[in-house]
Amino acid sequence: RQMCIRDRPVSIEVFPGDASDPSTVSSQIRKVTQRFDCHRVTFVGDRGMIKKKQMEALSAVSFYYITAITKPQIRTLMNASIIKMDMFDEKVHEVIHEGIRYILRRNPHRAEEIAITRQQKRQSIEQLIQKENGYLREHSRAEISKALERVNTKIGRLKVHPWLSVIAASEDRALFLKVDETTLKRISLLDGCYMVKSDLPESIADSQTIHDRYTELSEVERAFRTCKTEHLELRPVYVQTEMSTRGHAFVVMLAYLIVRELRRRWCALDMTVLEGLAQLSTLCAMEMKVKGQGTYLRIPTPRQLSQKLLKTLDIQLPSVLTHKEIPVVTRKKLTK
């Protein structure tokens, strides 16, 4: 579990692999209050992180939270007439109910993405049905129940079973797709809509600030992706002891700070971290031997782009380096 200020990690802690996300929040609260001695903090977490129990724990130490609620919870509030559908707009809208602030917004771009994805899933199932029907026509001994099972499996895997189903017509030896338009309309009603929930007083943060702090979780998620899979590859972990595992995670966190700084410095050059590192990998050193005086390393002038990358980092390469014949390996015992 990484503790971040925006996307800048300030602490990292390793938990057993079977620990659920909500169960790790209490230890982070203790860390903030006891180790960091903080007294005015707002925890920002996604729907699966901050739940009722975590909200109560934060309130007990006079901390605040910012999180979001699920689509079923949104529908519950709509059924209770606490919110209305026309409140969801591109601009944020706030509703206060029983001391809790709800920030509503609809993202039209996200709504369009969801609609496109839903249509692609439907087309994928239609193509499978066409394939199964063609096979049934060509093979008289093929069982229609097997074809039906394969299509239902894909419908379940794509999670479209609430509004899509398949019907088997034994007399025609064919499968037909059935669309529940009523359910589809109900499901798509909230496409792109989301609600942020917080107990922050209005005197501390307005609705737009609360909304922006929650959406900045995407930067934290980006940090996790960078640490886990992209640049640094936290996993797989090849060490075995608890201390080594914690040390491995700590080094990855420190490495992410470097990646974060590289991204910040190189954004003006329109270059990603991977592209920049690939360019700097062309740097080299030439071993120069001086008769009777040993050797030294001469650093050739970097290419123009490499010079720009180094300049943004305030790094100036030396023209020469001393050279020592010292073997360095990762084995525990050095060879003679």
Side-chain angles (χ1 to χ4, degrees), residues 112-218:
E112 184 178 355
E113 290 176 355
I114 294 174
I116 292 174
T117 300
R118 190 180 289 121
Q119 182 62 25
Q120 290 173 342
K121 290 180 178 181
R122 176 176 175 174
Q123 291 174 354
S124 177
I125 294 172
E126 288 175 342
Q127 291 172 2
L128 177 60
I129 290 177
Q130 291 176 2
K131 178 181 176 181
E132 294 292 348
N133 285 338
Y135 187 85
L136 290 171
R137 286 193 300 269
E138 295 172 3
H139 300 80
S140 58
R141 300 180 64 180
E143 297 182 18
I144 191 172
S145 59
K146 297 293 184 181
L148 181 64
E149 181 180 347
R150 287 189 288 269
V151 175
N152 277 326
T153 298
K154 184 162 188 175
I155 289 176
R157 188 171 67 250
L158 295 180
K159 299 180 180 180
V160 293
H161 52 280
W163 59 280
L164 271 184
S165 60
V166 60
I167 301 174
S170 301
E171 60 279 3
D172 299 328
R173 285 181 53 78
L175 304 176
F176 298 94
L177 190 65
K178 181 181 179 182
V179 181
D180 188 339
E181 297 292 349
T182 302
T183 303
L184 177 58
K185 184 178 180 180
R186 179 178 59 84
I187 293 175
S188 60
L189 184 66
L190 292 176
D191 284 356
C193 298
Y194 59 93
M195 286 181 61
V196 178
K197 175 182 178 180
S198 178
D199 62 346
L200 268 169
E202 294 181 79
S203 58
I204 295 179
D206 58 20
S207 56
Q208 187 65 52
T209 299
I210 293 175
H211 170 271
D212 294 346
R213 293 297 86 81
Y214 181 78
T215 56
E216 284 173 355
L217 273 179
S218 61

